[in-house]
Amino acid sequence: MAPHTIADVERDTGLGKDTLRVWERRYGFPQPQRDALGERRYTDDDLTRLRHIRRLIDAGHRPGQIVPLSLERLLALSSSNTQPDARQMQPGESSGGSVDVHPWLDLLRRQDAAGLRQALVRMINERGLARSLIEGVAPMNVLVGQSWLEGRLAVHEEHLYTEVVQGTLRHAMVALQPPARPPRVLMTTLPGEQHGLGLLMAECFMVLEGCHTVPLGVQTPIPDLVNAVAAAQADVVALSFTAAQNPRDVRAALDQLREMLPPGVEIWVGGSCPALYKPVRGRPGAASGGRGYWPLGRLQDIPLAVSRWRAEAGQPA
């Protein structure tokens, strides 16, 4: 019997159970075996193929183009992928002012959480929080993901990395303690999006800008999110989406949220889902490109968005 349950696959790949079931019906992969109780069971080969699919989706490929492909074709596509943020850096190589994060990977393999935490804190003390996120944490995220994909990093090591980074960033935000002022930003992901590290990195930038942030964690249902906006008197809802999300589902969810929120509450979205950054023809709202929300493709876009909001709201810059 195949060794992996659908919950195992979700934890390993970050692909939601509903996504896996939809792909099974729509694309014919994966086609899991069934145990005596009718529960899905996935093979090691299924898991390997799904890992590569996930990484290619994160690099900007659409599920319909790659889910049906064989492992051999996925490997060929991975090797020809030249997007800069998905490229694996070699030891000693840097991108601009980026930190050489390969020693951090060695700490991770040794389960040296304290050593990794100290390295992060040292970088933040030397470079400041904003530069550390762009020049250290972001490249490390890519390296950890690539190492996991290639089998050089176990799932529990990836989880350890996430926990250490999240704890360190939260401590850094508390240490800043800037005076909070508008906008009041409520931060979360929608159901099906369980990745919160990118959202936390965005929160760091908003705290640096003096925003009052209200973090709700991940996977907040839309009705609860609308209630939370009213309770918190939020000016902005900030959401994060990975590329694993179905573009049509993302659009539909954002449309629903826009209809349910008061007109004066803005929606800011970021992440690696390509659907977020495509203009929508025939829709009103030229200021946000006709989308009904403001796409922030990079962490560096957050200070500009805050400045724009404050200028339009008559708030001090």
Side-chain angles (χ1 to χ4, degrees):
M1 177 59 63
H4 306 290
T5 67
I6 194 169
D8 295 334
V9 174
E10 182 180 43
R11 282 192 297 269
D12 189 293
T13 65
L15 298 168
K17 297 174 184 177
D18 289 341
T19 296
L20 293 169
R21 295 187 187 108
V22 168
W23 288 359
E24 183 180 329
R25 295 193 304 269
R26 185 175 297 170
Y27 305 122
F29 178 80
Q31 284 292 334
Q33 303 172 28
R34 301 278 182 159
D35 62 16
L37 298 177
E39 299 293 333
R40 290 171 171 83
R41 294 284 179 169
Y42 299 81
T43 66
D44 289 339
D45 289 343
D46 291 336
L47 188 58
T48 299
R49 188 168 157 188
L50 286 167
R51 284 178 172 179
H52 283 276
I53 288 171
R54 168 61 196 276
R55 293 299 295 171
L56 286 167
I57 288 175
D58 284 349
H61 295 271
R62 294 184 177 181
Q65 298 172 327
I66 60 173
V67 172
L69 299 181
S70 66
L71 179 59
E72 291 75 15
R73 293 185 65 186
L74 291 170
L75 290 170
L77 192 58
S78 294
S79 64
S80 64
N81 182 32
T82 58
Q83 291 200 7
D85 59 350
R87 179 179 57 88
Q88 180 184 2
M89 293 188 296
Q90 299 300 317
E93 182 184 15
S94 64
S95 176
S98 294
V99 178
D100 180 8
V101 296
H102 290 81
W104 298 2
L105 198 64
D106 295 334
L107 293 170
L108 199 54
R109 292 195 183 102
R110 297 199 300 268
Q111 310 293 299
D112 188 354
L116 179 57
R117 191 176 296 110
Q118 290 170 2
L120 289 167
V121 170
R122 184 165 55 251
M123 174 185 64
I124 291 171
N125 289 338
E126 292 174 354
R127 298 185 178 224
L129 184 55
R131 283 186 59 196
S132 296
L133 290 168
I134 295 170
E135 299 172 3
V137 177
M140 183 63 177
N141 292 348
V142 174
L143 183 59
V144 166
Q146 188 70 25
S147 299
W148 163 80
L149 174 65
E150 296 173 353
R152 296 185 288 116
L153 204 64
V155 174
H156 69 270
E157 293 169 328
E158 183 187 29
H159 290 180
L160 174 62
Y161 167 72
T162 300
E163 288 299 315
V164 170
V165 172
Q166 287 179 336
T168 304
L169 295 184
R170 289 192 177 104
H171 180 78
M173 283 192 289
V174 171
L176 285 171
Q177 294 183 335
R181 59 193 183 94
R184 193 176 181 91
V185 185
L186 192 151
M187 310 191 69
T188 188
T189 70
L190 297 182
E193 182 54 75
Q194 58 184 328
H195 295 84
L197 183 54
L199 193 70
L200 182 60
M201 294 168 69
E203 185 181 0
C204 289
F205 266 76
M206 291 181 187
V207 168
L208 285 167
E209 294 301 310
C211 299
H212 189 136
T213 60
V214 184
L216 297 186
V218 298
Q219 303 199 81
T220 304
I222 289 179
D224 293 334
L225 177 53
V226 173
N227 291 336
V229 167
Q233 298 183 324
D235 303 300
V236 175
V237 172
L239 302 170
S240 176
F241 298 89
T242 61
Q245 300 300 303
N246 183 290
R248 284 178 293 184
D249 293 343
V250 170
R251 291 277 197 188
L254 289 171
D255 286 346
Q256 180 185 358
L257 181 60
R258 180 68 278 166
E259 291 176 3
M260 295 177 69
L261 287 177
V265 177
E266 292 190 0
I267 302 172
W268 296 356
V269 300
S272 54
C273 180
L276 300 176
Y277 308 105
K278 295 179 180 178
V280 181
R281 296 179 181 177
R283 292 192 183 184
S288 58
R291 303 174 180 88
Y293 61 86
W294 295 85
L296 308 178
R298 306 175 305 157
L299 291 171
Q300 299 95 311
D301 294 334
I302 291 173
L304 299 175
V306 174
S307 295
R308 190 266 311 160
W309 186 94
R310 285 175 176 158
E312 293 180 1
Q315 295 284 335

